[in-house]
Amino acid sequence: DAGVIQSPRHEVTEMGQEVTLRCKPISGHNSLFWYRQTMMRGLELLIYFNNNVPIDDSGMPEDRFSAKMPNASFSTLKIQPSEPRDSAVYFCASSLQTGGNQPQHFGDGTRLSIL
Amino acid sequence: RKEVEQDPGPFNVPEGATVAFNCTYSNSASQSFFWYRQDCRKEPKLLMSVYSSGNEDGRFTAQLNRASQYISLLIRDSKLSDSATYLCVVNKGTYKYIFGTGTRLKVLA
């Protein structure tokens, strides 16, 4: 079975540019999460979708960050304009339920470097 | 106090050794518990869920102690390939999964 699929795997761009990260959750999973991981701050939840609806975006750092989930099989995380401090690994994860008793499954991540 | 605490390590153990990690959690309402492993520059991968009665998967055993609010992971007969960071994850029955900062394990030849 296919796991969570993220693209691109790596992204290097100059500050000020728009960055779009993509995620395809596991088929049948109704919960989708975007995380950011850095050495300093560990794993941070950015936004959570349930049945394609954003439920909690309190972790989104600034208005420069936005996320969408137009359908059950696709989500994007966009940064515009990007800044060097956005450099991190961004993970997408999905799970079957919202009650928390099901584990999350992570994609390979996007390693983002903003120069 | 952090909601989920782990000893960062590193735990350096020889091949074949038995090693155990603990993870403490502060919220007594926590309901679900998981162990993940994360290799350097890779994504967290589910190792096992932790059930109230304890559970075993091959060389790995997970236990939950609700009274003392901790979970443990025991690895028997350590392999070089077990070298990784082990993340403890706790959930209160919502969509928020609380991750520990991880315990680094190095298995030495």
Side-chain angles (χ1 to χ4, degrees), chain A:
Chain A
D1 289 342
V4 177
I5 300 172
Q6 290 187 246
S7 64
R9 293 290 302 275
H10 303 273
E11 177 86 16
V12 181
T13 191
E14 293 186 345
M15 65 178 292
Q17 297 298 305
E18 178 177 294
V19 173
T20 299
L21 311 181
R22 296 172 178 79
C23 174
K24 176 179 168 56
I26 292 172
S27 179
H29 282 193
N30 62 349
S31 297
L32 184 139
F33 308 78
W34 282 101
Y35 288 91
R36 175 172 71 177
Q37 187 175 38
T38 61
M39 288 292 293
M40 293 296 294
R41 301 167 75 106
L43 262 171
E44 302 174 278
L45 177 64
L46 300 177
I47 187 167
Y48 159 65
F49 291 88
N50 180 241
N51 293 322
N52 315 338
V53 176
I55 302 299
D56 183 355
D57 66 355
S58 59
M60 297 285 261
E62 305 167 31
D63 291 346
R64 299 184 295 107
F65 285 68
S66 62
K68 294 182 179 179
M69 192 165 184
N71 58 62
S73 58
F74 184 65
S75 177
T76 59
L77 177 68
K78 187 175 293 186
I79 309 173
Q80 166 64 19
S82 58
E83 297 183 3
R85 59 194 167 118
D86 302 330
S87 298
V89 181
Y90 290 79
F91 289 109
C92 177
S94 71
S95 69
L96 187 55
Q97 296 177 6
T98 57
N101 61 346
Q102 294 294 319
Q104 297 176 311
H105 298 271
F106 285 78
D108 292 342
T110 295
R111 188 167 298 276
L112 177 64
S113 296
I114 308 297
L115 307 176

Side-chain angles (χ1 to χ4, degrees), chain A residues 9 33 35 37 43 45 48 55-56 91 95 97-109 111, chain B residues 31-34 36 38 40-46 49 87 89 91-97 99 101:
Chain A
R9 293 290 302 275
F33 308 78
Y35 288 91
Q37 187 175 38
L43 262 171
L45 177 64
Y48 159 65
I55 302 299
D56 183 355
F91 289 109
S95 69
Q97 296 177 6
T98 57
N101 61 346
Q102 294 294 319
Q104 297 176 311
H105 298 271
F106 285 78
D108 292 342
R111 188 167 298 276
Chain B
Q31 297 183 13
S32 304
F33 309 88
F34 310 93
Y36 283 73
Q38 186 171 26
C40 187
R41 303 173 75 84
K42 299 283 192 178
E43 77 279 16
K45 288 186 178 178
L46 178 68
S49 302
L87 301 170
V89 182
N91 188 291
K92 292 181 293 183
T94 71
Y95 60 87
K96 290 193 176 180
Y97 294 77
F99 284 78
T101 52

Side-chain angles (χ1 to χ4, degrees), chain B residues 3-74:
Chain B
E3 288 192 72
V4 176
E5 296 204 62
Q6 295 183 255
D7 182 339
F11 284 56
N12 296 322
V13 301
E15 262 189 299
T18 295
V19 61
F21 316 130
N22 280 347
C23 165
T24 59
Y25 59 94
S26 60
N27 194 320
S28 59
S30 299
Q31 297 183 13
S32 304
F33 309 88
F34 310 93
W35 283 104
Y36 283 73
R37 73 170 274 167
Q38 186 171 26
D39 293 280
C40 187
R41 303 173 75 84
K42 299 283 192 178
E43 77 279 16
K45 288 186 178 178
L46 178 68
L47 183 63
M48 57 202 305
S49 302
V50 186
Y51 303 122
S52 297
S53 55
N55 46 301
E56 188 174 306
D57 183 0
R59 298 181 292 109
F60 299 83
T61 300
Q63 291 193 314
L64 167 64
N65 186 317
R66 285 194 183 274
S68 301
Q69 294 184 199
Y70 73 87
I71 64 171
S72 63
L73 179 67
L74 180 80

